[in-house]
Amino acid sequence: MDKYDIAIVGAGIAGTFAALKAAESYKAKVILFELGHKPGKRRRFLEGFLGCFPTGDGKIYTSTEQIAEYVDGRTIKSASNWVMKQFNSIIKNKIIKDKLPNVATQKKLDASNIKIITNDYIQWKPESIHLLSKQVTEIMETAGNITFSFDNEVTRITKQKNGFIINTTANGDVFAKKIIISVGRSGWRWVNSLYRDFGLTIKDDIASYGIYLECPANQLKELNYSHCTLIRDDFELGPFNWNGTIIPEDHADLVIAAFRSNENRWKTDKVSFSLINHIKVEDGKGIAQTDRLGKLVYLLFNDRIGKEKVKVLSKENSLLSQLPEFNCLNKNIEELNNIFPNLINKASFHAPNILPLAAPIRIGPNLETEIEDMFVAGESGRFRGISAAAITGTIALESACKK
C-alpha cells in the first residue's frame, strides 16, 4: 500500500492551492486525488483541475469575511498574500471596487431589513486561467513531492489510529497520515455522504433553492452597476452580474443555472442574479430537500434549464408553480418589485437554481474537523468563491504540515 503524509481529495481551486503550497514550501509527501480530468484536458463538467475556474465567469471576489468566522486575521492575511502572489505572477490583478446602489434604493432595502454586501473583485480571462494551470502544474511536477491521481474516484475513507485508509477505483488502497477534503461544488453529494458517515453533520435543517433572474440592464439603473449581494434571513439575492449570459452548470445528473461573461461571445445587455430562498426543513434533511427540488425542477423542464417570464410565475401559471415549495418565491418577488419597479413585468427566470454546498460541520481555527487530522477547504467547508477556496486550501495545508 502506498503511503503519504497528506492526501488531498479534490483538485479544484482549494485542492490545487493546497498542493501548490506543499510543493513550494514543504517537503511533505502529498497525493492529490481528482475524479475529473488532468490539467490541460478539455472538459465540459465541473470536475477536473482547477474546478469551476476555467468554466466560470472569471470573477474572483476578494472578501475574506466568511473565513474570519473561523480563522484568525493574521493567518488569513498571510495565506491571502501568498495566494495573491501566485495570481500576480500570471497577470497584475487589479481589484475592482464595487459600488453601492443609489441612496433611494439603499433606504428601501434598509426598510425591508435587507443587508447590502458589496463584492470587490478581480476579473480574469480564459487565457490567463490557462497560464495559471500551466504554471501551477510545472511547479508541482518540478517539486517532486506531489503525486497526481486524476480520473480516479475516492470511494471510501476509513479513520485509523495513525491516519486514514483511502479506497479508490484506480489506485487501490492508499494510506495517508492526514487528509484535506476539498471536493468543491461537483462533489457536494459525495462530501455530504462522507460527513454523515463520520457523524460530522450538524443542524442540516435548511433547504436552499430558487431561481436565476435576468432582465434588461436598463431596468435596474438604481443599482448603479453594483455587483452587490442582498441578504436577509429568509433569502439572498445576487451577486448582480452585468452584461453576460445564463449558461448550464453541469453536474452528474442535474444542470443548474449559472452565469458567464468573460468572453465576447457571452456579452449581452442584461443583468442576471440569483434568488435563493432559505427554508427551514422540519425533518433535518435540508441538503436532501435541496437536491430533491433541483432534480424535480430539472425534470419539469425536460432535463434542461427552464426559462419563463417572471410574470407567468407571479400568476402561478408557470411550470414551476406545480411545486408548492416554490410558492414562497412570489412573496419575495412582489416585495422586490416594490424596490426594483418592473421586475415582474420585464424579467425572466431560469431554473433550477440551488446552492450545492456541504452540510454544516464544526470546524476548528486551523480548519480541522472533529475527526483528528481531517481538514476541510473551499466549499467542502462552506467557504464560497474562488478566493476563499484558494486561501482556505493554503491554510488547511499549512495546518496539516505544522500539526
Side-chain angles (χ1 to χ4, degrees):
M1 183 186 303
D2 292 334
K3 297 182 179 181
Y4 296 87
D5 297 312
I6 300 171
I8 302 170
V9 183
I13 287 287
T16 294
F17 272 76
L20 178 62
K21 186 64 178 178
E24 283 210 344
S25 305
Y26 297 95
K27 294 182 179 180
K29 186 179 179 183
V30 175
I31 184 167
L32 178 61
F33 292 107
E34 171 56 45
L35 175 63
H37 297 320
K38 62 184 180 180
K41 193 170 181 179
R42 289 183 64 84
R43 58 192 169 88
R44 179 185 174 200
F45 291 88
L46 292 181
E47 293 94 342
F49 194 62
L50 291 180
C52 65
F53 199 17
T55 57
D57 74 338
K59 286 186 177 60
I60 302 177
Y61 295 114
T62 59
S63 173
T64 58
E65 183 177 345
Q66 57 180 323
I67 307 173
E69 295 179 16
Y70 299 91
V71 183
D72 70 87
R74 182 178 296 180
T75 301
I76 294 173
K77 184 177 181 180
S78 174
S80 180
N81 288 342
W82 182 81
V83 167
M84 290 305 296
K85 179 182 176 183
Q86 310 310 311
F87 287 155
N88 282 324
S89 68
I90 303 298
I91 61 170
K92 186 64 178 177
N93 289 288
K94 179 183 177 182
I95 296 177
I96 300 172
K97 299 290 290 184
D98 197 14
K99 305 174 183 177
L100 282 165
N102 66 29
V103 174
T105 301
Q106 291 181 51
K107 290 180 179 178
K108 290 180 181 179
L109 292 168
D110 185 59
S112 295
N113 296 315
I114 298 173
K115 181 181 178 182
I116 304 171
I117 297 178
T118 54
N119 294 309
D120 297 346
Y121 66 95
I122 298 164
Q123 182 67 60
W124 277 50
K125 299 293 184 182
E127 56 269 23
S128 298
I129 298 171
H130 173 73
L131 288 174
L132 176 68
S133 175
K134 183 178 179 181
Q135 176 173 290
V136 167
T137 305
E138 289 175 351
I139 291 171
M140 288 193 285
E141 288 178 343
T142 301
N145 63 328
I146 310 297
T147 298
F148 294 114
S149 185
F150 287 88
D151 295 304
N152 188 14
E153 182 180 3
V154 172
T155 57
R156 188 180 180 189
I157 298 172
T158 307
K159 181 72 170 75
Q160 303 290 303
K161 183 177 180 180
N162 59 341
F164 300 86
I165 300 294
I166 304 164
N167 307 125
T168 72
T169 55
N171 281 67
D173 295 347
V174 171
F175 173 83
K177 295 177 183 177
K178 297 169 185 175
I179 192 167
I180 297 173
I181 307 298
S182 55
V183 295
R185 294 171 69 82
S186 64
W188 70 290
R189 290 169 175 148
W190 180 90
V191 80
N192 284 316
S193 176
L194 177 77
Y195 291 168
R196 285 195 303 272
D197 291 345
F198 275 101
L200 292 172
T201 304
I202 57 170
K203 202 177 180 181
D204 179 19
D205 62 348
I206 300 294
S208 299
Y209 59 92
I211 55 179
Y212 218 112
L213 293 151
E214 177 184 67
C215 70
N218 60 15
Q219 294 296 319
L220 290 178
K221 291 180 179 179
E222 56 267 68
L223 279 171
N224 197 25
Y225 285 96
S226 174
H227 288 264
C228 66
T229 302
L230 307 178
I231 293 180
R232 199 168 63 186
D233 287 344
D234 57 333
F235 76 89
E236 61 181 90
L237 191 74
F240 288 90
N241 297 304
W242 300 83
N243 308 123
T245 304
I246 302 294
I247 64 167
E249 177 184 291
D250 294 285
H251 293 259
D253 58 356
L254 174 66
V255 175
I256 304 170
F259 176 83
R260 193 159 188 181
S261 64
N262 60 356
E263 296 179 62
N264 286 333
R265 60 181 168 146
W266 307 115
K267 298 300 181 186
T268 67
D269 61 352
K270 297 177 181 179
V271 58
S272 304
F273 46 100
S274 177
L275 170 59
I276 294 287
N277 280 305
H278 301 296
I279 306 298
K280 191 171 182 62
V281 178
E282 296 299 332
D283 61 3
K285 296 181 179 179
I287 298 295
Q289 176 75 327
T290 300
D291 192 14
R292 168 183 165 271
L293 290 172
K295 289 178 179 177
L296 283 176
V297 175
Y298 188 46
L299 290 172
L300 275 177
F301 288 98
N302 295 318
D303 295 350
R304 59 186 173 86
I305 294 176
K307 181 179 180 180
E308 293 185 298
K309 295 290 186 182
V310 172
K311 193 171 184 177
V312 174
L313 178 62
S314 68
K315 292 182 177 180
E316 299 186 1
N317 290 326
S318 163
L319 283 176
L320 203 59
S321 303
Q322 299 177 56
L323 299 176
E325 291 88 349
F326 285 84
N327 289 339
C328 56
L329 286 173
N330 286 327
K331 180 182 177 182
N332 290 338
I333 289 171
E334 289 176 7
E335 185 176 3
L336 291 168
N337 194 67
N338 293 327
I339 300 170
F340 305 111
N342 281 323
L343 187 65
I344 290 177
N345 289 328
K346 299 294 184 179
S348 300
F349 74 88
H350 299 255
N353 187 22
I354 61 174
L355 284 185
L357 288 174
I361 63 172
R362 292 186 179 88
I363 303 171
N366 61 350
L367 302 185
E368 188 175 18
T369 71
E370 292 181 294
I371 302 299
E372 187 177 8
D373 294 326
M374 177 184 285
F375 302 81
V376 295
E379 290 187 329
S380 294
R382 297 178 67 84
F383 300 107
R384 293 158 64 181
I386 290 169
S387 176
I391 293 169
T392 55
T394 304
I395 293 171
L397 187 282
E398 289 189 315
S399 298
C401 286
K402 291 177 180 178
K403 186 180 176 186

